[in-house]
Amino acid sequence: MKDFKNKVVAITGAGSGMGRAYAVEFGKLGAKLALNDYNEKGLTETVELLQSQGINHIYSKAFDVSDKDEMFSFAKEVKNHLGNTHIIINNAGISGKGDPFFIGETEDFDRVLEINLYGVIYGCRAFLPQIVENNEGAVVNVASIFGLIGVPGVSAYCTTKFAVKGFTESLMVEFHKSPIGIHCVMPGGIDTAIADNSPNADEFKKTLKTPAEDVAKYLIKCIRKKKPNVLIGFNSGKFNLVSRFMPLKMRIKFAWNMMSKMGVLWQYESFNSLMKK
Ligand code: NAD
Protein backbone atom coordinates (compact mmCIF):
# COMPACT_ATOMS: atom_id res chain seq x y z
CA MET A 1 0.00 0.00 0.00
CA LYS A 2 1.57 3.28 -1.11
CA ASP A 3 -1.08 5.98 -0.87
CA PHE A 4 -2.90 6.72 2.39
CA LYS A 5 -5.22 9.52 1.25
CA ASN A 6 -8.77 8.79 2.45
CA LYS A 7 -7.66 5.38 3.72
CA VAL A 8 -8.98 4.42 7.16
CA VAL A 9 -6.28 3.89 9.78
CA ALA A 10 -7.33 2.58 13.21
CA ILE A 11 -4.86 3.08 16.07
CA THR A 12 -5.14 1.81 19.65
CA GLY A 13 -3.36 3.64 22.46
CA ALA A 14 -3.44 6.87 20.45
CA GLY A 15 -3.64 9.12 23.51
CA SER A 16 0.13 9.34 23.96
CA GLY A 17 3.59 8.47 22.62
CA MET A 18 3.91 6.42 19.45
CA GLY A 19 0.13 6.01 19.03
CA ARG A 20 -0.24 9.79 18.88
CA ALA A 21 2.72 10.04 16.48
CA TYR A 22 1.17 7.44 14.14
CA ALA A 23 -2.06 9.48 14.15
CA VAL A 24 -0.22 12.70 13.27
CA GLU A 25 1.88 11.16 10.48
CA PHE A 26 -1.00 9.24 8.84
CA GLY A 27 -3.23 12.31 9.30
CA LYS A 28 -0.70 14.47 7.43
CA LEU A 29 -0.94 12.01 4.52
CA GLY A 30 -4.72 12.49 4.34
CA ALA A 31 -5.81 9.29 6.09
CA LYS A 32 -9.10 9.08 7.99
CA LEU A 33 -8.30 8.21 11.61
CA ALA A 34 -10.08 5.89 14.04
CA LEU A 35 -8.48 6.44 17.42
CA ASN A 36 -8.70 4.64 20.74
CA ASP A 37 -7.21 4.99 24.19
CA TYR A 38 -8.54 4.13 27.64
CA ASN A 39 -7.19 7.46 28.86
CA GLU A 40 -9.95 9.81 27.75
CA LYS A 41 -7.89 12.93 28.50
CA GLY A 42 -4.93 11.79 26.39
CA LEU A 43 -7.24 10.78 23.56
CA THR A 44 -8.95 14.20 23.57
CA GLU A 45 -5.54 15.90 23.52
CA THR A 46 -4.56 13.86 20.45
CA VAL A 47 -7.79 14.77 18.67
CA GLU A 48 -7.28 18.46 19.50
CA LEU A 49 -3.67 18.32 18.31
CA LEU A 50 -4.79 16.79 15.01
CA GLN A 51 -7.55 19.33 14.55
CA SER A 52 -5.10 22.17 15.21
CA GLN A 53 -3.13 20.80 12.22
CA GLY A 54 -6.22 20.77 9.99
CA ILE A 55 -6.72 16.99 10.30
CA ASN A 56 -10.46 16.49 10.77
CA HIS A 57 -11.51 13.05 9.52
CA ILE A 58 -11.44 11.46 12.96
CA TYR A 59 -13.58 9.01 14.90
CA SER A 60 -12.39 8.44 18.47
CA LYS A 61 -13.57 6.24 21.30
CA ALA A 62 -12.20 5.69 24.79
CA PHE A 63 -12.24 2.05 25.90
CA ASP A 64 -9.97 -0.66 27.22
CA VAL A 65 -8.46 -2.82 24.44
CA SER A 66 -8.64 -5.89 26.66
CA ASP A 67 -12.46 -5.70 26.45
CA LYS A 68 -13.28 -7.93 23.49
CA ASP A 69 -16.87 -6.69 23.06
CA GLU A 70 -15.75 -3.05 23.09
CA MET A 71 -13.13 -3.80 20.42
CA PHE A 72 -15.72 -5.45 18.15
CA SER A 73 -18.17 -2.55 18.68
CA PHE A 74 -15.38 -0.09 17.85
CA ALA A 75 -14.64 -1.89 14.57
CA LYS A 76 -18.33 -1.71 13.59
CA GLU A 77 -18.58 1.96 14.54
CA VAL A 78 -15.41 2.80 12.58
CA LYS A 79 -16.94 1.17 9.49
CA ASN A 80 -20.18 3.15 9.96
CA HIS A 81 -18.43 6.49 10.54
CA LEU A 82 -15.41 6.32 8.23
CA GLY A 83 -15.81 3.24 5.99
CA ASN A 84 -13.91 -0.06 5.88
CA THR A 85 -10.61 -0.02 7.74
CA HIS A 86 -7.41 -0.37 5.70
CA ILE A 87 -4.84 -0.38 8.50
CA ILE A 88 -5.09 -1.47 12.12
CA ILE A 89 -2.22 -0.50 14.42
CA ASN A 90 -2.45 -2.51 17.63
CA ASN A 91 -0.25 -0.22 19.69
CA ALA A 92 -1.78 0.12 23.20
CA GLY A 93 0.50 -1.33 25.85
CA ILE A 94 1.76 -1.07 29.41
CA SER A 95 5.13 -1.99 30.86
CA GLY A 96 4.00 -3.54 34.17
CA LYS A 97 5.31 -2.86 37.64
CA GLY A 98 8.94 -3.96 37.35
CA ASP A 99 8.69 -6.72 39.98
CA PRO A 100 10.81 -9.86 39.80
CA PHE A 101 8.37 -12.63 38.75
CA PHE A 102 8.79 -14.56 42.00
CA ILE A 103 7.59 -11.71 44.19
CA GLY A 104 5.16 -10.04 41.79
CA GLU A 105 1.37 -10.37 41.98
CA THR A 106 -0.49 -12.73 39.64
CA GLU A 107 -3.15 -10.06 38.99
CA ASP A 108 -0.49 -7.57 37.82
CA PHE A 109 1.04 -10.18 35.51
CA ASP A 110 -2.35 -11.07 34.05
CA ARG A 111 -3.23 -7.42 33.43
CA VAL A 112 -0.15 -7.00 31.22
CA LEU A 113 -1.18 -10.12 29.27
CA GLU A 114 -4.75 -8.88 28.85
CA ILE A 115 -3.66 -5.53 27.40
CA ASN A 116 -0.43 -6.25 25.52
CA LEU A 117 -1.38 -9.65 24.12
CA TYR A 118 -5.17 -10.02 24.11
CA GLY A 119 -5.62 -6.37 23.11
CA VAL A 120 -3.52 -7.09 20.00
CA ILE A 121 -5.34 -10.34 19.19
CA TYR A 122 -8.80 -8.74 19.59
CA GLY A 123 -7.71 -5.82 17.40
CA CYS A 124 -6.70 -8.27 14.64
CA ARG A 125 -9.90 -10.33 15.00
CA ALA A 126 -12.15 -7.28 14.93
CA PHE A 127 -10.50 -5.38 12.06
CA LEU A 128 -9.11 -8.07 9.74
CA PRO A 129 -12.49 -8.81 8.07
CA GLN A 130 -12.69 -5.18 6.89
CA ILE A 131 -9.08 -5.19 5.66
CA VAL A 132 -9.61 -8.50 3.84
CA GLU A 133 -12.81 -7.12 2.27
CA ASN A 134 -10.79 -4.15 0.96
CA ASN A 135 -8.17 -6.59 -0.34
CA GLU A 136 -5.50 -4.02 0.52
CA GLY A 137 -4.03 -2.58 3.69
CA ALA A 138 -1.97 -3.65 6.65
CA VAL A 139 -1.99 -5.10 10.12
CA VAL A 140 0.59 -3.57 12.45
CA ASN A 141 1.22 -5.23 15.80
CA VAL A 142 3.54 -3.58 18.30
CA ALA A 143 6.03 -5.85 20.06
CA SER A 144 9.38 -4.63 21.44
CA ILE A 145 13.08 -5.39 21.57
CA PHE A 146 12.02 -7.10 24.82
CA GLY A 147 10.33 -9.58 22.49
CA LEU A 148 13.79 -10.51 21.19
CA ILE A 149 15.60 -11.10 24.49
CA GLY A 150 14.18 -12.04 27.89
CA VAL A 151 15.05 -9.43 30.54
CA PRO A 152 14.56 -9.36 34.31
CA GLY A 153 11.89 -7.33 36.10
CA VAL A 154 9.47 -7.30 33.19
CA SER A 155 8.68 -10.99 32.71
CA ALA A 156 5.01 -10.30 31.92
CA TYR A 157 5.99 -7.63 29.37
CA CYS A 158 8.52 -10.00 27.75
CA THR A 159 5.95 -12.81 27.70
CA THR A 160 3.53 -10.60 25.76
CA LYS A 161 6.09 -9.13 23.38
CA PHE A 162 7.58 -12.56 22.47
CA ALA A 163 3.99 -13.77 21.96
CA VAL A 164 3.02 -10.79 19.79
CA LYS A 165 6.12 -11.40 17.67
CA GLY A 166 5.22 -15.10 17.25
CA PHE A 167 1.54 -14.40 16.60
CA THR A 168 2.41 -11.74 14.03
CA GLU A 169 4.97 -13.95 12.30
CA SER A 170 2.28 -16.58 11.93
CA LEU A 171 -0.01 -13.99 10.28
CA MET A 172 2.90 -12.92 8.04
CA VAL A 173 3.04 -16.48 6.68
CA GLU A 174 -0.74 -16.79 6.36
CA PHE A 175 -0.98 -13.55 4.36
CA HIS A 176 2.31 -13.61 2.46
CA LYS A 177 0.63 -14.28 -0.91
CA SER A 178 -1.98 -11.56 -0.37
CA PRO A 179 -1.78 -7.80 -0.99
CA ILE A 180 -2.19 -7.23 2.76
CA GLY A 181 0.99 -6.34 4.66
CA ILE A 182 1.58 -7.78 8.11
CA HIS A 183 4.09 -5.86 10.23
CA CYS A 184 5.66 -6.30 13.62
CA VAL A 185 7.04 -3.13 15.21
CA MET A 186 9.97 -3.75 17.55
CA PRO A 187 10.92 -0.45 19.08
CA GLY A 188 14.02 0.09 21.18
CA GLY A 189 14.05 2.97 23.68
CA ILE A 190 11.53 5.52 22.38
CA ASP A 191 10.91 8.85 24.10
CA THR A 192 7.30 8.36 25.32
CA ALA A 193 5.35 8.21 28.57
CA ILE A 194 5.72 4.41 28.92
CA ALA A 195 8.06 4.66 31.93
CA ASP A 196 6.14 7.45 33.70
CA ASN A 197 4.46 5.16 36.21
CA SER A 198 7.37 2.86 36.92
CA PRO A 199 9.02 3.22 40.33
CA ASN A 200 12.40 3.88 38.72
CA ALA A 201 11.09 6.27 36.06
CA ASP A 202 14.12 8.60 36.10
CA GLU A 203 16.64 5.86 35.30
CA PHE A 204 14.35 4.10 32.87
CA LYS A 205 13.72 7.33 30.95
CA LYS A 206 17.44 7.78 30.24
CA THR A 207 17.18 4.88 27.78
CA LEU A 208 14.14 6.28 25.97
CA LYS A 209 15.99 8.36 23.39
CA THR A 210 14.43 8.02 19.94
CA PRO A 211 11.60 10.45 19.05
CA ALA A 212 8.20 8.75 18.55
CA GLU A 213 7.83 10.69 15.29
CA ASP A 214 10.81 8.76 13.81
CA VAL A 215 9.04 5.46 14.51
CA ALA A 216 5.85 6.66 12.80
CA LYS A 217 7.74 7.86 9.73
CA TYR A 218 9.70 4.62 9.50
CA LEU A 219 6.53 2.52 9.87
CA ILE A 220 4.99 4.35 6.90
CA LYS A 221 8.10 3.54 4.82
CA CYS A 222 7.88 -0.12 5.86
CA ILE A 223 4.17 -0.34 4.96
CA ARG A 224 4.92 1.17 1.54
CA LYS A 225 7.72 -1.35 0.94
CA LYS A 226 5.80 -4.24 2.58
CA LYS A 227 8.79 -4.70 4.90
CA PRO A 228 7.46 -7.00 7.63
CA ASN A 229 9.74 -6.19 10.57
CA VAL A 230 9.92 -2.61 11.82
CA LEU A 231 13.01 -2.57 14.01
CA ILE A 232 13.87 0.92 15.20
CA GLY A 233 15.10 2.94 18.16
CA PHE A 234 17.81 3.13 20.78
CA ASN A 235 19.49 -0.26 21.34
CA SER A 236 17.33 -2.04 18.75
CA GLY A 237 20.28 -2.94 16.49
CA LYS A 238 22.25 -4.29 19.44
CA PHE A 239 19.32 -6.38 20.76
CA ASN A 240 18.68 -7.79 17.30
CA LEU A 241 22.29 -8.91 16.88
CA VAL A 242 22.50 -10.35 20.39
CA SER A 243 19.25 -12.30 19.92
CA ARG A 244 20.49 -13.78 16.64
CA PHE A 245 24.11 -14.55 17.35
CA MET A 246 24.85 -14.67 21.09
CA PRO A 247 24.56 -18.04 22.88
CA LEU A 248 21.96 -18.17 25.68
CA LYS A 249 24.46 -18.15 28.55
CA MET A 250 26.03 -14.94 27.23
CA ARG A 251 22.61 -13.45 26.52
CA ILE A 252 21.62 -13.96 30.15
CA LYS A 253 24.66 -11.96 31.32
CA PHE A 254 24.05 -9.32 28.66
CA ALA A 255 20.41 -8.87 29.71
CA TRP A 256 21.27 -8.68 33.41
CA ASN A 257 23.99 -6.08 32.87
CA MET A 258 21.85 -4.05 30.51
CA MET A 259 18.96 -3.88 32.98
CA SER A 260 21.32 -3.10 35.89
CA LYS A 261 22.56 -0.10 33.95
CA MET A 262 18.94 0.96 33.32
CA GLY A 263 18.38 0.87 37.10
CA VAL A 264 15.43 -1.46 36.81
CA LEU A 265 16.81 -4.08 39.18
CA TRP A 266 15.89 -2.02 42.21
CA GLN A 267 13.86 -4.84 43.76
CA TYR A 268 16.43 -7.59 43.43
CA GLU A 269 18.06 -7.04 46.81
CA SER A 270 14.90 -8.14 48.57
CA PHE A 271 14.48 -10.94 46.02
CA ASN A 272 18.02 -12.25 46.63
CA SER A 273 17.62 -12.10 50.40
CA LEU A 274 14.42 -14.10 50.01
CA MET A 275 16.32 -16.75 48.04
CA LYS A 276 18.96 -17.09 50.80
CA LYS A 277 16.39 -18.00 53.48
P1 NAD B 1 2.78 5.46 26.06
O1 NAD B 1 2.51 5.10 27.48
O2 NAD B 1 3.21 6.83 25.73
O3 NAD B 1 1.47 5.12 25.17
C1 NAD B 1 0.70 3.96 25.36
C2 NAD B 1 -0.76 4.34 25.26
O4 NAD B 1 -1.56 3.16 25.39
C3 NAD B 1 -1.19 5.30 26.42
O5 NAD B 1 -1.86 6.42 25.90
C4 NAD B 1 -2.12 4.43 27.27
O6 NAD B 1 -3.16 5.16 27.89
C5 NAD B 1 -2.67 3.46 26.22
N1 NAD B 1 -3.17 2.24 26.82
C6 NAD B 1 -2.56 1.46 27.75
N2 NAD B 1 -3.35 0.44 28.09
C7 NAD B 1 -4.50 0.57 27.36
C8 NAD B 1 -5.70 -0.17 27.27
N3 NAD B 1 -5.92 -1.24 28.03
N4 NAD B 1 -6.64 0.24 26.41
C9 NAD B 1 -6.48 1.35 25.65
N5 NAD B 1 -5.37 2.11 25.71
C10 NAD B 1 -4.39 1.72 26.55
O7 NAD B 1 3.83 4.40 25.54
P2 NAD B 1 4.46 4.10 24.10
O8 NAD B 1 5.88 3.94 24.32
O9 NAD B 1 3.97 5.02 23.07
O10 NAD B 1 3.87 2.63 23.86
C11 NAD B 1 3.25 2.21 22.67
C12 NAD B 1 3.59 0.76 22.42
O11 NAD B 1 4.99 0.66 22.14
C13 NAD B 1 3.33 -0.17 23.59
O12 NAD B 1 2.78 -1.38 23.13
C14 NAD B 1 4.71 -0.41 24.17
O13 NAD B 1 4.82 -1.64 24.83
C15 NAD B 1 5.55 -0.39 22.91
N6 NAD B 1 6.98 -0.14 23.11
C16 NAD B 1 7.44 1.04 23.63
C17 NAD B 1 8.81 1.25 23.78
C18 NAD B 1 9.39 2.54 24.28
O14 NAD B 1 10.60 2.63 24.46
N7 NAD B 1 8.63 3.58 24.52
C19 NAD B 1 9.71 0.26 23.40
C20 NAD B 1 9.19 -0.94 22.91
C21 NAD B 1 7.83 -1.12 22.75
Side-chain angles (χ1 to χ4, degrees), residues 256 267-277:
W256 179 267
Q267 281 235 32
Y268 278 80
E269 240 172 74
S270 55
F271 173 59
N272 286 337
S273 64
L274 232 159
M275 294 291 280
K276 276 176 208 149
K277 276 179 196 166

Side-chain angles (χ1 to χ4, degrees), residues 12-19 36-39 63-66 90-94 111 115-116 142-145 157 161 186-194 208:
T12 68
S16 170
M18 281 179 265
N36 146 272
D37 204 292
Y38 67 180
N39 174 357
F63 68 90
D64 186 329
V65 292
S66 67
N90 291 302
N91 163 77
I94 58 170
R111 186 72 185 123
I115 297 173
N116 293 10
V142 178
S144 167
I145 55 169
Y157 189 80
K161 297 304 185 179
M186 282 171 288
I190 314 298
D191 184 11
T192 70
I194 191 119
L208 305 182

Side-chain angles (χ1 to χ4, degrees), residues 153-212:
V154 283
S155 54
Y157 189 80
C158 283
T159 302
T160 61
K161 297 304 185 179
F162 270 78
V164 166
K165 186 172 175 287
F167 167 61
T168 310
E169 201 164 304
S170 183
L171 296 190
M172 284 171 188
V173 181
E174 291 184 1
F175 281 87
H176 83 280
K177 290 189 176 166
S178 87
I180 295 160
I182 309 286
H183 305 268
C184 187
V185 184
M186 282 171 288
I190 314 298
D191 184 11
T192 70
I194 191 119
D196 281 6
N197 294 324
S198 58
N200 56 324
D202 289 346
E203 284 305 310
F204 198 164
K205 276 182 179 176
K206 285 181 195 161
T207 63
L208 305 182
K209 297 190 181 195
T210 307

